Amino acid sequence: METLLPNSSDFILLGLITNPAYPGILFAVIFSIFVVAVTANLVMILLIHVDFRLHTPMYFLLSQLSIMDTVYICITVPKMLQDLLSKDKTISFLGCAFQIFLYLTLIGGEFFLLGLMAYDRYVAVCNPLRYPVLMNRKICLLMVLGSWIGGSLDGFMLTPVTMSFPYCGSRKINHFFCEIPAVLRLSCIDTSLYETLMYACCVLMLLIPISIISVSYTRILVTVHRMSSAEGRRKAFATCSSHIMVVSIFYGAAFYTNVLPHSYHTPEKDKIVSAFYTILTPMLNPLIYSLRNKDVGTALRKVLGRFAFSQRIRAGDGSREF
């Protein structure tokens, strides 16, 4: 049996759909989603940076979510698109390890960041007068730094162990990127103990942000229930609705991947769920926040108005010179 030695051989990614009948159509769909996702996230980051009305803790955390989503989708989709057009679908051992590390870091970072964003909404609704103190710039920076560090710890712990196993025989990973369960299926030895420990680690990692989200929104619901003003309730709901939608989408997929027992998993299901939160979620997050948020919409119209005005000025100057 041929052994795949670390740092000497490549893996082969079979893709989202093995031998698709119409790879060109699949490429066009995924490329379109990729362009929309990257553009929407970069526009969100730009708007938050240039519009002073968006220089608040909530939008600062949202800008970090957009940064994570942009890097997140760039880890997997470009390689996936390349494989759809190329017969060479290989990825090097180090490339696979790098993909696993960044994937774990960013998904872990989003877990923590979404939890801390729920705390931000709790302070905004339940303690509005103390909001500038409880959510000052230093605390926001610590939140973001903690999210990145918390995610990277997962990457630093699991990546070296995953890549230390001997991989034998077939080098074909039944996936479109190096996700740990798909890679471990190629191992020569029994990895069940490691998978159990990894499962426990992921569950514990999910419990921290889920606990923050649950406590925060429980307090928010109690506060909203006590409000006598219908307008106050409407504003509180508008403040939290976008975050609730993003959390539901992201944690729903994470629950399937990290919490459901292995008996519920198949390679095909895993690929579909992975495609959902690695390709669709980074596109949906900025769209949800922009479509349901008046401040972001106003900032976008303001920037587009400035751009149109500058274009008219340039056109006028050009006509006078002519």
PDB file of all heavy atoms in Angstrom, residues 27-61:
ATOM      1  N   PHE A  27     -19.397  26.544 -12.298  1.00  0.00           N
ATOM      2  CA  PHE A  27     -18.378  27.591 -12.131  1.00  0.00           C
ATOM      3  C   PHE A  27     -19.023  28.971 -12.138  1.00  0.00           C
ATOM      4  O   PHE A  27     -18.712  29.823 -11.295  1.00  0.00           O
ATOM      5  CB  PHE A  27     -17.345  27.487 -13.251  1.00  0.00           C
ATOM      6  CG  PHE A  27     -16.299  28.574 -13.221  1.00  0.00           C
ATOM      7  CD1 PHE A  27     -15.110  28.382 -12.530  1.00  0.00           C
ATOM      8  CD2 PHE A  27     -16.500  29.793 -13.875  1.00  0.00           C
ATOM      9  CE1 PHE A  27     -14.146  29.374 -12.488  1.00  0.00           C
ATOM     10  CE2 PHE A  27     -15.548  30.788 -13.835  1.00  0.00           C
ATOM     11  CZ  PHE A  27     -14.366  30.584 -13.142  1.00  0.00           C
ATOM     12  N   ALA A  28     -19.934  29.214 -13.079  1.00  0.00           N
ATOM     13  CA  ALA A  28     -20.574  30.523 -13.199  1.00  0.00           C
ATOM     14  C   ALA A  28     -21.387  30.863 -11.957  1.00  0.00           C
ATOM     15  O   ALA A  28     -21.347  32.002 -11.461  1.00  0.00           O
ATOM     16  CB  ALA A  28     -21.462  30.561 -14.434  1.00  0.00           C
ATOM     17  N   VAL A  29     -22.112  29.877 -11.418  1.00  0.00           N
ATOM     18  CA  VAL A  29     -22.934  30.115 -10.224  1.00  0.00           C
ATOM     19  C   VAL A  29     -22.059  30.428  -9.019  1.00  0.00           C
ATOM     20  O   VAL A  29     -22.288  31.420  -8.301  1.00  0.00           O
ATOM     21  CB  VAL A  29     -23.827  28.885  -9.934  1.00  0.00           C
ATOM     22  CG1 VAL A  29     -24.530  29.036  -8.586  1.00  0.00           C
ATOM     23  CG2 VAL A  29     -24.856  28.697 -11.037  1.00  0.00           C
ATOM     24  N   ILE A  30     -21.044  29.602  -8.791  1.00  0.00           N
ATOM     25  CA  ILE A  30     -20.180  29.801  -7.623  1.00  0.00           C
ATOM     26  C   ILE A  30     -19.367  31.082  -7.756  1.00  0.00           C
ATOM     27  O   ILE A  30     -19.187  31.830  -6.787  1.00  0.00           O
ATOM     28  CB  ILE A  30     -19.257  28.575  -7.432  1.00  0.00           C
ATOM     29  CG1 ILE A  30     -20.096  27.342  -7.102  1.00  0.00           C
ATOM     30  CG2 ILE A  30     -18.242  28.834  -6.316  1.00  0.00           C
ATOM     31  CD1 ILE A  30     -19.305  26.066  -7.042  1.00  0.00           C
ATOM     32  N   PHE A  31     -18.896  31.368  -8.971  1.00  0.00           N
ATOM     33  CA  PHE A  31     -18.129  32.599  -9.183  1.00  0.00           C
ATOM     34  C   PHE A  31     -19.006  33.825  -8.931  1.00  0.00           C
ATOM     35  O   PHE A  31     -18.546  34.812  -8.331  1.00  0.00           O
ATOM     36  CB  PHE A  31     -17.588  32.633 -10.609  1.00  0.00           C
ATOM     37  CG  PHE A  31     -16.791  33.871 -10.923  1.00  0.00           C
ATOM     38  CD1 PHE A  31     -15.518  34.037 -10.404  1.00  0.00           C
ATOM     39  CD2 PHE A  31     -17.324  34.868 -11.730  1.00  0.00           C
ATOM     40  CE1 PHE A  31     -14.781  35.196 -10.680  1.00  0.00           C
ATOM     41  CE2 PHE A  31     -16.603  36.017 -12.016  1.00  0.00           C
ATOM     42  CZ  PHE A  31     -15.335  36.181 -11.493  1.00  0.00           C
ATOM     43  N   SER A  32     -20.266  33.775  -9.345  1.00  0.00           N
ATOM     44  CA  SER A  32     -21.175  34.903  -9.116  1.00  0.00           C
ATOM     45  C   SER A  32     -21.401  35.127  -7.622  1.00  0.00           C
ATOM     46  O   SER A  32     -21.376  36.268  -7.146  1.00  0.00           O
ATOM     47  CB  SER A  32     -22.518  34.637  -9.812  1.00  0.00           C
ATOM     48  OG  SER A  32     -22.346  34.498 -11.206  1.00  0.00           O
ATOM     49  N   ILE A  33     -21.624  34.030  -6.890  1.00  0.00           N
ATOM     50  CA  ILE A  33     -21.804  34.143  -5.436  1.00  0.00           C
ATOM     51  C   ILE A  33     -20.545  34.706  -4.790  1.00  0.00           C
ATOM     52  O   ILE A  33     -20.613  35.572  -3.907  1.00  0.00           O
ATOM     53  CB  ILE A  33     -22.152  32.768  -4.834  1.00  0.00           C
ATOM     54  CG1 ILE A  33     -23.516  32.295  -5.350  1.00  0.00           C
ATOM     55  CG2 ILE A  33     -22.152  32.829  -3.310  1.00  0.00           C
ATOM     56  CD1 ILE A  33     -23.866  30.883  -4.936  1.00  0.00           C
ATOM     57  N   PHE A  34     -19.389  34.243  -5.253  1.00  0.00           N
ATOM     58  CA  PHE A  34     -18.114  34.704  -4.707  1.00  0.00           C
ATOM     59  C   PHE A  34     -17.937  36.206  -4.925  1.00  0.00           C
ATOM     60  O   PHE A  34     -17.566  36.943  -4.004  1.00  0.00           O
ATOM     61  CB  PHE A  34     -16.973  33.930  -5.373  1.00  0.00           C
ATOM     62  CG  PHE A  34     -15.604  34.395  -4.979  1.00  0.00           C
ATOM     63  CD1 PHE A  34     -15.087  34.105  -3.726  1.00  0.00           C
ATOM     64  CD2 PHE A  34     -14.811  35.121  -5.873  1.00  0.00           C
ATOM     65  CE1 PHE A  34     -13.816  34.539  -3.366  1.00  0.00           C
ATOM     66  CE2 PHE A  34     -13.548  35.551  -5.522  1.00  0.00           C
ATOM     67  CZ  PHE A  34     -13.048  35.253  -4.253  1.00  0.00           C
ATOM     68  N   VAL A  35     -18.230  36.675  -6.136  1.00  0.00           N
ATOM     69  CA  VAL A  35     -18.082  38.099  -6.452  1.00  0.00           C
ATOM     70  C   VAL A  35     -19.032  38.942  -5.603  1.00  0.00           C
ATOM     71  O   VAL A  35     -18.651  39.974  -5.047  1.00  0.00           O
ATOM     72  CB  VAL A  35     -18.320  38.352  -7.952  1.00  0.00           C
ATOM     73  CG1 VAL A  35     -18.396  39.848  -8.236  1.00  0.00           C
ATOM     74  CG2 VAL A  35     -17.205  37.716  -8.782  1.00  0.00           C
ATOM     75  N   VAL A  36     -20.288  38.493  -5.497  1.00  0.00           N
ATOM     76  CA  VAL A  36     -21.262  39.225  -4.686  1.00  0.00           C
ATOM     77  C   VAL A  36     -20.832  39.267  -3.227  1.00  0.00           C
ATOM     78  O   VAL A  36     -20.912  40.312  -2.567  1.00  0.00           O
ATOM     79  CB  VAL A  36     -22.664  38.585  -4.824  1.00  0.00           C
ATOM     80  CG1 VAL A  36     -23.643  39.205  -3.825  1.00  0.00           C
ATOM     81  CG2 VAL A  36     -23.191  38.739  -6.236  1.00  0.00           C
ATOM     82  N   ALA A  37     -20.363  38.123  -2.698  1.00  0.00           N
ATOM     83  CA  ALA A  37     -19.961  38.054  -1.292  1.00  0.00           C
ATOM     84  C   ALA A  37     -18.787  38.978  -0.998  1.00  0.00           C
ATOM     85  O   ALA A  37     -18.817  39.759  -0.032  1.00  0.00           O
ATOM     86  CB  ALA A  37     -19.606  36.613  -0.922  1.00  0.00           C
ATOM     87  N   VAL A  38     -17.747  38.906  -1.828  1.00  0.00           N
ATOM     88  CA  VAL A  38     -16.559  39.737  -1.599  1.00  0.00           C
ATOM     89  C   VAL A  38     -16.898  41.213  -1.763  1.00  0.00           C
ATOM     90  O   VAL A  38     -16.511  42.055  -0.939  1.00  0.00           O
ATOM     91  CB  VAL A  38     -15.417  39.330  -2.555  1.00  0.00           C
ATOM     92  CG1 VAL A  38     -14.260  40.314  -2.461  1.00  0.00           C
ATOM     93  CG2 VAL A  38     -14.940  37.914  -2.238  1.00  0.00           C
ATOM     94  N   THR A  39     -17.662  41.536  -2.816  1.00  0.00           N
ATOM     95  CA  THR A  39     -18.040  42.936  -3.048  1.00  0.00           C
ATOM     96  C   THR A  39     -18.885  43.479  -1.908  1.00  0.00           C
ATOM     97  O   THR A  39     -18.645  44.592  -1.410  1.00  0.00           O
ATOM     98  CB  THR A  39     -18.813  43.064  -4.373  1.00  0.00           C
ATOM     99  OG1 THR A  39     -18.016  42.559  -5.449  1.00  0.00           O
ATOM    100  CG2 THR A  39     -19.177  44.514  -4.646  1.00  0.00           C
ATOM    101  N   ALA A  40     -19.885  42.713  -1.477  1.00  0.00           N
ATOM    102  CA  ALA A  40     -20.781  43.169  -0.408  1.00  0.00           C
ATOM    103  C   ALA A  40     -20.020  43.388   0.892  1.00  0.00           C
ATOM    104  O   ALA A  40     -20.241  44.391   1.597  1.00  0.00           O
ATOM    105  CB  ALA A  40     -21.902  42.146  -0.199  1.00  0.00           C
ATOM    106  N   ASN A  41     -19.108  42.485   1.225  1.00  0.00           N
ATOM    107  CA  ASN A  41     -18.342  42.639   2.459  1.00  0.00           C
ATOM    108  C   ASN A  41     -17.369  43.810   2.383  1.00  0.00           C
ATOM    109  O   ASN A  41     -17.212  44.566   3.354  1.00  0.00           O
ATOM    110  CB  ASN A  41     -17.591  41.341   2.781  1.00  0.00           C
ATOM    111  CG  ASN A  41     -18.483  40.301   3.430  1.00  0.00           C
ATOM    112  OD1 ASN A  41     -18.914  40.455   4.565  1.00  0.00           O
ATOM    113  ND2 ASN A  41     -18.761  39.236   2.703  1.00  0.00           N
ATOM    114  N   LEU A  42     -16.710  43.985   1.232  1.00  0.00           N
ATOM    115  CA  LEU A  42     -15.784  45.112   1.086  1.00  0.00           C
ATOM    116  C   LEU A  42     -16.529  46.446   1.114  1.00  0.00           C
ATOM    117  O   LEU A  42     -16.045  47.428   1.695  1.00  0.00           O
ATOM    118  CB  LEU A  42     -14.991  44.974  -0.215  1.00  0.00           C
ATOM    119  CG  LEU A  42     -13.972  43.826  -0.263  1.00  0.00           C
ATOM    120  CD1 LEU A  42     -13.277  43.792  -1.613  1.00  0.00           C
ATOM    121  CD2 LEU A  42     -12.941  43.954   0.857  1.00  0.00           C
ATOM    122  N   VAL A  43     -17.713  46.479   0.497  1.00  0.00           N
ATOM    123  CA  VAL A  43     -18.525  47.703   0.545  1.00  0.00           C
ATOM    124  C   VAL A  43     -18.943  48.007   1.974  1.00  0.00           C
ATOM    125  O   VAL A  43     -18.920  49.169   2.410  1.00  0.00           O
ATOM    126  CB  VAL A  43     -19.760  47.561  -0.370  1.00  0.00           C
ATOM    127  CG1 VAL A  43     -20.769  48.684  -0.105  1.00  0.00           C
ATOM    128  CG2 VAL A  43     -19.346  47.579  -1.834  1.00  0.00           C
ATOM    129  N   MET A  44     -19.328  46.968   2.722  1.00  0.00           N
ATOM    130  CA  MET A  44     -19.706  47.158   4.130  1.00  0.00           C
ATOM    131  C   MET A  44     -18.536  47.724   4.929  1.00  0.00           C
ATOM    132  O   MET A  44     -18.708  48.673   5.717  1.00  0.00           O
ATOM    133  CB  MET A  44     -20.157  45.825   4.722  1.00  0.00           C
ATOM    134  CG  MET A  44     -20.639  45.918   6.159  1.00  0.00           C
ATOM    135  SD  MET A  44     -22.202  46.781   6.325  1.00  0.00           S
ATOM    136  CE  MET A  44     -23.332  45.551   5.683  1.00  0.00           C
ATOM    137  N   ILE A  45     -17.350  47.174   4.728  1.00  0.00           N
ATOM    138  CA  ILE A  45     -16.164  47.671   5.436  1.00  0.00           C
ATOM    139  C   ILE A  45     -15.890  49.123   5.059  1.00  0.00           C
ATOM    140  O   ILE A  45     -15.592  49.963   5.924  1.00  0.00           O
ATOM    141  CB  ILE A  45     -14.943  46.781   5.108  1.00  0.00           C
ATOM    142  CG1 ILE A  45     -15.155  45.355   5.635  1.00  0.00           C
ATOM    143  CG2 ILE A  45     -13.664  47.375   5.695  1.00  0.00           C
ATOM    144  CD1 ILE A  45     -14.160  44.353   5.106  1.00  0.00           C
ATOM    145  N   LEU A  46     -15.998  49.440   3.770  1.00  0.00           N
ATOM    146  CA  LEU A  46     -15.752  50.802   3.293  1.00  0.00           C
ATOM    147  C   LEU A  46     -16.758  51.787   3.883  1.00  0.00           C
ATOM    148  O   LEU A  46     -16.375  52.865   4.361  1.00  0.00           O
ATOM    149  CB  LEU A  46     -15.826  50.828   1.765  1.00  0.00           C
ATOM    150  CG  LEU A  46     -15.707  52.215   1.108  1.00  0.00           C
ATOM    151  CD1 LEU A  46     -14.327  52.805   1.366  1.00  0.00           C
ATOM    152  CD2 LEU A  46     -15.981  52.127  -0.385  1.00  0.00           C
ATOM    153  N   LEU A  47     -18.040  51.432   3.865  1.00  0.00           N
ATOM    154  CA  LEU A  47     -19.075  52.320   4.398  1.00  0.00           C
ATOM    155  C   LEU A  47     -18.852  52.602   5.875  1.00  0.00           C
ATOM    156  O   LEU A  47     -18.984  53.749   6.328  1.00  0.00           O
ATOM    157  CB  LEU A  47     -20.464  51.693   4.191  1.00  0.00           C
ATOM    158  CG  LEU A  47     -20.976  51.590   2.756  1.00  0.00           C
ATOM    159  CD1 LEU A  47     -22.324  50.876   2.732  1.00  0.00           C
ATOM    160  CD2 LEU A  47     -21.086  52.962   2.112  1.00  0.00           C
ATOM    161  N   ILE A  48     -18.528  51.572   6.629  1.00  0.00           N
ATOM    162  CA  ILE A  48     -18.307  51.751   8.069  1.00  0.00           C
ATOM    163  C   ILE A  48     -17.090  52.626   8.321  1.00  0.00           C
ATOM    164  O   ILE A  48     -17.042  53.403   9.274  1.00  0.00           O
ATOM    165  CB  ILE A  48     -18.160  50.373   8.756  1.00  0.00           C
ATOM    166  CG1 ILE A  48     -19.502  49.622   8.681  1.00  0.00           C
ATOM    167  CG2 ILE A  48     -17.706  50.515  10.205  1.00  0.00           C
ATOM    168  CD1 ILE A  48     -19.441  48.177   9.137  1.00  0.00           C
ATOM    169  N   HIS A  49     -16.116  52.537   7.424  1.00  0.00           N
ATOM    170  CA  HIS A  49     -14.895  53.336   7.587  1.00  0.00           C
ATOM    171  C   HIS A  49     -15.115  54.802   7.245  1.00  0.00           C
ATOM    172  O   HIS A  49     -14.615  55.698   7.942  1.00  0.00           O
ATOM    173  CB  HIS A  49     -13.778  52.761   6.721  1.00  0.00           C
ATOM    174  CG  HIS A  49     -12.506  53.554   6.762  1.00  0.00           C
ATOM    175  ND1 HIS A  49     -11.679  53.573   7.869  1.00  0.00           N
ATOM    176  CD2 HIS A  49     -11.934  54.378   5.833  1.00  0.00           C
ATOM    177  CE1 HIS A  49     -10.651  54.368   7.626  1.00  0.00           C
ATOM    178  NE2 HIS A  49     -10.783  54.870   6.410  1.00  0.00           N
ATOM    179  N   VAL A  50     -15.880  55.092   6.189  1.00  0.00           N
ATOM    180  CA  VAL A  50     -15.968  56.474   5.681  1.00  0.00           C
ATOM    181  C   VAL A  50     -17.120  57.273   6.292  1.00  0.00           C
ATOM    182  O   VAL A  50     -17.064  58.506   6.310  1.00  0.00           O
ATOM    183  CB  VAL A  50     -16.093  56.493   4.145  1.00  0.00           C
ATOM    184  CG1 VAL A  50     -14.903  55.821   3.497  1.00  0.00           C
ATOM    185  CG2 VAL A  50     -17.400  55.837   3.674  1.00  0.00           C
ATOM    186  N   ASP A  51     -18.173  56.612   6.781  1.00  0.00           N
ATOM    187  CA  ASP A  51     -19.329  57.343   7.307  1.00  0.00           C
ATOM    188  C   ASP A  51     -19.209  57.467   8.827  1.00  0.00           C
ATOM    189  O   ASP A  51     -19.251  56.450   9.538  1.00  0.00           O
ATOM    190  CB  ASP A  51     -20.626  56.620   6.938  1.00  0.00           C
ATOM    191  CG  ASP A  51     -21.853  57.497   7.124  1.00  0.00           C
ATOM    192  OD1 ASP A  51     -21.999  58.087   8.216  1.00  0.00           O
ATOM    193  OD2 ASP A  51     -22.659  57.608   6.181  1.00  0.00           O
ATOM    194  N   PHE A  52     -19.111  58.687   9.333  1.00  0.00           N
ATOM    195  CA  PHE A  52     -18.891  58.893  10.769  1.00  0.00           C
ATOM    196  C   PHE A  52     -20.078  58.406  11.592  1.00  0.00           C
ATOM    197  O   PHE A  52     -19.926  58.055  12.772  1.00  0.00           O
ATOM    198  CB  PHE A  52     -18.632  60.380  11.044  1.00  0.00           C
ATOM    199  CG  PHE A  52     -19.844  61.260  10.901  1.00  0.00           C
ATOM    200  CD1 PHE A  52     -20.625  61.565  12.002  1.00  0.00           C
ATOM    201  CD2 PHE A  52     -20.207  61.781   9.652  1.00  0.00           C
ATOM    202  CE1 PHE A  52     -21.747  62.373  11.880  1.00  0.00           C
ATOM    203  CE2 PHE A  52     -21.326  62.581   9.524  1.00  0.00           C
ATOM    204  CZ  PHE A  52     -22.098  62.885  10.638  1.00  0.00           C
ATOM    205  N   ARG A  53     -21.286  58.377  10.997  1.00  0.00           N
ATOM    206  CA  ARG A  53     -22.452  57.894  11.736  1.00  0.00           C
ATOM    207  C   ARG A  53     -22.380  56.399  12.024  1.00  0.00           C
ATOM    208  O   ARG A  53     -23.106  55.885  12.881  1.00  0.00           O
ATOM    209  CB  ARG A  53     -23.723  58.205  10.943  1.00  0.00           C
ATOM    210  CG  ARG A  53     -24.089  59.687  10.922  1.00  0.00           C
ATOM    211  CD  ARG A  53     -25.262  59.946  10.016  1.00  0.00           C
ATOM    212  NE  ARG A  53     -24.960  59.586   8.631  1.00  0.00           N
ATOM    213  CZ  ARG A  53     -25.804  59.757   7.622  1.00  0.00           C
ATOM    214  NH1 ARG A  53     -27.009  60.266   7.847  1.00  0.00           N
ATOM    215  NH2 ARG A  53     -25.456  59.417   6.389  1.00  0.00           N
ATOM    216  N   LEU A  54     -21.527  55.699  11.312  1.00  0.00           N
ATOM    217  CA  LEU A  54     -21.346  54.258  11.531  1.00  0.00           C
ATOM    218  C   LEU A  54     -20.135  53.961  12.405  1.00  0.00           C
ATOM    219  O   LEU A  54     -19.741  52.805  12.543  1.00  0.00           O
ATOM    220  CB  LEU A  54     -21.204  53.535  10.183  1.00  0.00           C
ATOM    221  CG  LEU A  54     -22.365  53.710   9.204  1.00  0.00           C
ATOM    222  CD1 LEU A  54     -22.132  52.864   7.957  1.00  0.00           C
ATOM    223  CD2 LEU A  54     -23.700  53.342   9.839  1.00  0.00           C
ATOM    224  N   HIS A  55     -19.541  55.008  12.980  1.00  0.00           N
ATOM    225  CA  HIS A  55     -18.394  54.810  13.875  1.00  0.00           C
ATOM    226  C   HIS A  55     -18.899  54.522  15.291  1.00  0.00           C
ATOM    227  O   HIS A  55     -18.683  55.288  16.229  1.00  0.00           O
ATOM    228  CB  HIS A  55     -17.480  56.041  13.859  1.00  0.00           C
ATOM    229  CG  HIS A  55     -16.794  56.231  12.553  1.00  0.00           C
ATOM    230  ND1 HIS A  55     -15.985  57.321  12.274  1.00  0.00           N
ATOM    231  CD2 HIS A  55     -16.782  55.481  11.423  1.00  0.00           C
ATOM    232  CE1 HIS A  55     -15.509  57.223  11.042  1.00  0.00           C
ATOM    233  NE2 HIS A  55     -15.982  56.115  10.504  1.00  0.00           N
ATOM    234  N   THR A  56     -19.593  53.409  15.428  1.00  0.00           N
ATOM    235  CA  THR A  56     -20.144  52.979  16.706  1.00  0.00           C
ATOM    236  C   THR A  56     -19.660  51.555  16.982  1.00  0.00           C
ATOM    237  O   THR A  56     -19.217  50.851  16.065  1.00  0.00           O
ATOM    238  CB  THR A  56     -21.678  52.997  16.675  1.00  0.00           C
ATOM    239  OG1 THR A  56     -22.145  52.040  15.710  1.00  0.00           O
ATOM    240  CG2 THR A  56     -22.205  54.392  16.317  1.00  0.00           C
ATOM    241  N   PRO A  57     -19.741  51.100  18.239  1.00  0.00           N
ATOM    242  CA  PRO A  57     -19.285  49.735  18.551  1.00  0.00           C
ATOM    243  C   PRO A  57     -19.968  48.659  17.709  1.00  0.00           C
ATOM    244  O   PRO A  57     -19.314  47.715  17.268  1.00  0.00           O
ATOM    245  CB  PRO A  57     -19.649  49.598  20.038  1.00  0.00           C
ATOM    246  CG  PRO A  57     -19.589  50.988  20.569  1.00  0.00           C
ATOM    247  CD  PRO A  57     -20.095  51.851  19.458  1.00  0.00           C
ATOM    248  N   MET A  58     -21.287  48.795  17.496  1.00  0.00           N
ATOM    249  CA  MET A  58     -21.995  47.772  16.731  1.00  0.00           C
ATOM    250  C   MET A  58     -21.420  47.627  15.330  1.00  0.00           C
ATOM    251  O   MET A  58     -21.170  46.512  14.851  1.00  0.00           O
ATOM    252  CB  MET A  58     -23.485  48.116  16.631  1.00  0.00           C
ATOM    253  CG  MET A  58     -24.296  47.066  15.873  1.00  0.00           C
ATOM    254  SD  MET A  58     -26.037  47.478  15.680  1.00  0.00           S
ATOM    255  CE  MET A  58     -25.959  48.656  14.320  1.00  0.00           C
ATOM    256  N   TYR A  59     -21.177  48.754  14.664  1.00  0.00           N
ATOM    257  CA  TYR A  59     -20.675  48.700  13.293  1.00  0.00           C
ATOM    258  C   TYR A  59     -19.190  48.355  13.243  1.00  0.00           C
ATOM    259  O   TYR A  59     -18.715  47.777  12.256  1.00  0.00           O
ATOM    260  CB  TYR A  59     -20.962  50.016  12.579  1.00  0.00           C
ATOM    261  CG  TYR A  59     -22.431  50.220  12.328  1.00  0.00           C
ATOM    262  CD1 TYR A  59     -23.151  51.186  13.022  1.00  0.00           C
ATOM    263  CD2 TYR A  59     -23.109  49.420  11.417  1.00  0.00           C
ATOM    264  CE1 TYR A  59     -24.512  51.354  12.801  1.00  0.00           C
ATOM    265  CE2 TYR A  59     -24.463  49.584  11.192  1.00  0.00           C
ATOM    266  CZ  TYR A  59     -25.159  50.545  11.888  1.00  0.00           C
ATOM    267  OH  TYR A  59     -26.499  50.697  11.677  1.00  0.00           O
ATOM    268  N   PHE A  60     -18.458  48.694  14.297  1.00  0.00           N
ATOM    269  CA  PHE A  60     -17.065  48.266  14.365  1.00  0.00           C
ATOM    270  C   PHE A  60     -16.985  46.741  14.416  1.00  0.00           C
ATOM    271  O   PHE A  60     -16.182  46.118  13.707  1.00  0.00           O
ATOM    272  CB  PHE A  60     -16.382  48.877  15.591  1.00  0.00           C
ATOM    273  CG  PHE A  60     -14.990  48.365  15.824  1.00  0.00           C
ATOM    274  CD1 PHE A  60     -13.958  48.713  14.968  1.00  0.00           C
ATOM    275  CD2 PHE A  60     -14.715  47.519  16.885  1.00  0.00           C
ATOM    276  CE1 PHE A  60     -12.664  48.241  15.168  1.00  0.00           C
ATOM    277  CE2 PHE A  60     -13.432  47.036  17.101  1.00  0.00           C
ATOM    278  CZ  PHE A  60     -12.405  47.399  16.240  1.00  0.00           C
ATOM    279  N   LEU A  61     -17.830  46.121  15.247  1.00  0.00           N
ATOM    280  CA  LEU A  61     -17.869  44.658  15.311  1.00  0.00           C
ATOM    281  C   LEU A  61     -18.361  44.070  13.997  1.00  0.00           C
ATOM    282  O   LEU A  61     -17.863  43.035  13.545  1.00  0.00           O
ATOM    283  CB  LEU A  61     -18.770  44.212  16.466  1.00  0.00           C
ATOM    284  CG  LEU A  61     -18.325  44.618  17.880  1.00  0.00           C
ATOM    285  CD1 LEU A  61     -19.352  44.178  18.919  1.00  0.00           C
ATOM    286  CD2 LEU A  61     -16.958  44.025  18.213  1.00  0.00           C
TER     287      LEU A  61
END
